[in-house]
Amino acid sequence: MCDSSEIAVSRRCRLGWIKLIDLVSILAGRRLMMRIKGKIYKACVRTAMVYGSETWNVKTAEEGTLRKTERATIRKMCGVKISDRKNTSELMERLGLEETVVEVIKRSGLRWMGHMLRREETR
């Protein structure tokens, strides 16, 4: 049986792909610099992937799904095939991406937890 976070992660990965496909002429084209593509990716695609992730209980399998989706979208934006054997960290550096989607989710979960700890007890 599927866990609710597993369902949420798969839906969000699918939405990330939908956003990438919507912006494929910009993100996979050769007209823009890689850093600009990275900023657009963070603003549109990654945001769609991590929306609501503060409350997810992400397990190793879901982290793998998120990493796989992010690697595939980054390769698509850079015009690199799997057979080219390019390192993902090198491609992320080209795009100006400092952290992976899993790191973003963990950071947002910790931020949300801080909000919950600071709220009033009467709430």
Side-chain angles (χ1 to χ4, degrees), residues 37-96:
K37 287 181 182 184
K39 288 180 181 181
I40 295 170
Y41 169 79
K42 283 195 315 191
C44 299
V45 178
R46 186 184 274 176
T47 304
M49 286 176 62
V50 301
Y51 180 78
S53 65
E54 299 89 7
T55 59
W56 294 349
N57 182 18
V58 181
K59 298 180 186 88
T60 308
E62 286 107 16
E63 284 182 10
T65 302
L66 288 163
R67 281 191 186 103
K68 184 174 81 172
T69 302
E70 184 174 49
R71 283 193 307 258
T73 55
I74 287 172
R75 280 194 309 271
K76 178 80 171 166
M77 289 179 356
C78 293
V80 175
K81 299 175 191 163
I82 293 176
S83 59
D84 293 340
R85 308 287 295 173
K86 293 284 184 178
N87 193 348
T88 303
S89 58
E90 177 186 320
L91 297 176
M92 287 180 69
E93 188 177 309
R94 252 196 250 173
L95 292 168

